[in-house]
Amino acid sequence: MVNNIVDVLRALGAEIVRTPTSASFDSPESYLGVAKRLMEEIPNSHILNQFKNASNPIAHFDGTAEEILDGCDGKIDMLVASAGTGGTIAGLSRKIKMKCPSCKIVGVDPCGSILAVPDSMNKSDVTSYEVEGIGFDFISTVLTRDLIDKWYKSVDRESFLMSRRMIREEGLLCGGSSGSAMYCAIQAAKDAGLKKGQRMVVILPDSIRNYMSKFLSDDWMSQRGFLELEQQLEPAKEWWWQLNVGALKLLAPLTVMPSVSIQETLDLLNKESFDQVPVVDERGQVLGMATVGNMMAQIVKNKVKQSDPVSKVMYKQFKQVHMDTSLGQLSRMLDTDHFVLIVHNQRQYGFDVKLENKQMIFGIATRIDLLNFITSHDTDQ
């Protein structure tokens, strides 16, 4: 789907500039940083920048809010909206509180984001999320939160399952952030004790258009642990399907520190006959994955030097599963990925004598590993 959009933009004459999703919003490599640089380089250019554009909340104050009030005959008991730039909920809350002072405004923010109030709600081990268009790691200028009565934190799995449910049962072709809003709205209605006759409005901020190859796909959902395999497939007849990944008896993988050079990493992988290697810190935590293909491509394009640290070319997004993942689910992942990292959680006391959960690497599973396991045991079945 993304490639189709890129092709359309190129057909219209646009130049595509890609930025890393992992970049902090205030770094020069982020999409905001790159946009600012391009604006300074390109004559007569302008950034719409909905994070700072005062017309963003005003449009919802003057337009969206009036449409809602008119459709509800001026009576609303609760309004639920998610926050991205914050313009929608800021504009709506100001107008609706003017017309319906008793209306409760509920904000929705994904776990991993910092928009919710109080700030203690944002403390979480979650550092990233799959739902798009809502939540950020900074507070935008247009997001005024003084009129929001209560915040709820959403999580990916429930958000996507709710979106799929609304598509299937209601025919609403909505995006993942709509599922976030609806799931939290149901919780808010229960918590507030809304009764028959009371009126709640839920803002569904996005359509399915940009997510055709994402949460609509059973494979995409199951690969991320959002959909149990049994929910999407008939029971498989293969003898190995329900076995867990521990049956592969994988060897503990080779790992490298982020400061090891790209050339040293390539030499090591060549010597060990591996195609990829996890990059870990001094505590053994996984920072990313380095692959021979990516390192060579970056060197050929002169984007990195062979003497650069391997951390410059590691992937920070990769598939990882736990020991209890079935081989059937692993097989589905390996249909689209060259490897999957197998991890297990270990409780460990740190230097500050605090118990913490540490994620340790058990092994790396490839298609060859799975195929060798199946073929070597087929004669016994």
Side-chain angles (χ1 to χ4, degrees):
M1 184 64 187
V2 173
N3 289 334
N4 292 340
I5 294 172
V6 168
D7 289 340
V8 171
L9 291 172
R10 283 187 174 139
L12 290 168
E15 178 184 349
I16 308 299
V17 179
R18 293 187 181 275
T19 61
T21 56
S22 58
S24 173
F25 80 95
D26 54 357
S27 72
E29 296 81 19
S30 72
Y31 69 94
L32 290 173
V34 171
K36 183 178 180 181
R37 175 178 60 79
L38 291 174
M39 182 187 70
E40 294 169 350
E41 295 174 355
I42 302 172
N44 301 317
S45 60
H46 179 68
I47 299 177
L48 296 177
N49 197 349
Q50 295 302 308
F51 298 98
K52 295 182 178 180
N53 191 340
S55 295
N56 180 355
I58 290 173
H60 296 288
F61 180 89
D62 290 337
T64 314
E66 289 292 348
E67 182 180 347
I68 292 172
L69 288 163
D70 182 63
C72 294
D73 299 322
K75 183 182 182 302
I76 309 172
D77 297 291
M78 180 179 287
L79 180 133
V80 181
S82 54
T85 65
T88 302
I89 196 167
L92 291 179
S93 61
R94 200 155 298 281
K95 174 58 72 69
I96 289 175
K97 282 288 190 179
M98 288 172 56
K99 299 293 184 73
C100 302
S102 63
C103 177
K104 299 297 181 184
I105 306 295
V106 173
V108 175
D109 185 45
C111 288
S113 170
I114 65 164
L115 304 186
V117 176
D119 187 58
S120 58
M121 293 184 67
N122 302 317
K123 290 178 170 42
S124 169
D125 293 334
V126 177
T127 57
S128 63
Y129 46 92
E130 295 281 0
V131 170
E132 298 178 50
I134 60 174
F136 278 102
D137 56 353
F138 69 101
I139 311 298
S140 75
T141 303
V142 301
L143 176 55
T144 53
R145 299 175 289 177
D146 54 310
L147 296 178
I148 300 173
D149 297 292
K150 189 172 183 179
W151 286 87
Y152 283 80
K153 301 294 283 189
S154 65
V155 292
D156 284 334
R157 184 177 185 275
E158 283 73 11
S159 296
F160 289 131
L161 291 178
M162 179 58 73
S163 294
R164 288 164 63 107
R165 180 182 172 187
M166 288 193 288
I167 293 170
R168 183 179 64 252
E169 298 181 10
E170 304 295 338
L172 296 171
L173 299 179
C174 57
S177 54
S178 298
S180 300
M182 184 59 73
Y183 183 83
C184 290
I186 292 173
Q187 304 308 308
K190 292 177 180 177
D191 292 345
L194 291 187
K195 299 178 176 56
K196 183 177 180 179
Q198 289 187 287
R199 189 166 292 165
M200 178 174 69
V201 175
V202 184
I203 304 298
L204 305 183
D206 203 359
S207 73
I208 193 60
R209 181 191 61 185
N210 295 331
Y211 313 109
M212 295 294 187
S213 60
K214 293 191 174 182
F215 74 87
L216 279 186
S217 164
D218 285 348
D219 286 344
W220 189 92
M221 290 284 287
S222 64
Q223 286 169 11
R224 288 154 179 79
F226 301 149
L227 189 68
E228 295 299 326
L229 208 61
E230 293 74 17
Q231 293 178 254
Q232 52 154 316
L233 299 170
E234 291 296 323
K237 296 180 180 179
E238 290 84 355
W239 59 268
W240 50 269
W241 195 261
Q242 298 299 336
L243 297 177
N244 64 39
V245 295
L248 296 180
K249 300 190 182 329
L250 299 169
L251 297 176
L254 175 76
T255 63
V256 298
M257 301 286 283
S259 58
V260 174
S261 74
I262 294 172
Q263 186 59 58
E264 289 172 327
T265 304
L266 285 170
D267 292 342
L268 186 60
L269 290 178
N270 182 55
K271 178 182 177 181
E272 300 289 339
S273 299
F274 292 145
D275 292 325
Q276 61 278 316
V277 61
V279 181
V280 301
D281 62 17
E282 62 276 1
R283 300 170 61 199
Q285 294 279 49
V286 183
L287 302 176
M289 292 291 293
T291 68
V292 171
N294 188 47
M295 285 187 282
M296 293 303 297
Q298 299 283 13
I299 291 173
V300 169
K301 293 176 182 177
N302 292 319
K303 291 187 175 182
V304 296
K305 299 175 183 176
Q306 290 164 272
S307 58
D308 285 338
V310 71
S311 57
K312 292 191 69 172
V313 292
M314 67 182 183
Y315 287 114
K316 292 185 179 180
Q317 293 181 328
F318 50 89
K319 297 295 188 333
Q320 58 182 32
V321 297
H322 288 88
M323 296 286 290
D324 57 356
T325 300
S326 72
L327 291 182
Q329 190 169 354
L330 177 67
S331 172
R332 283 302 186 104
M333 292 183 180
L334 293 174
D335 284 341
T336 55
D337 292 90
H338 295 296
F339 64 88
V340 175
L341 197 64
I342 314 299
V343 299
H344 67 277
N345 293 328
Q346 174 181 312
R347 295 194 303 166
Q348 183 182 73
Y349 276 100
F351 294 113
D352 53 359
V353 200
K354 286 185 179 179
L355 187 65
E356 59 182 14
N357 285 320
K358 187 176 180 181
Q359 204 166 65
M360 304 296 293
I361 305 174
F362 175 79
I364 301 174
T366 66
R367 298 169 191 171
I368 293 298
D369 293 318
L370 181 59
L371 182 60
N372 285 341
F373 174 78
I374 296 170
T375 55
S376 64
H377 289 78
D378 262 343
T379 55
D380 301 329
Q381 304 306 314

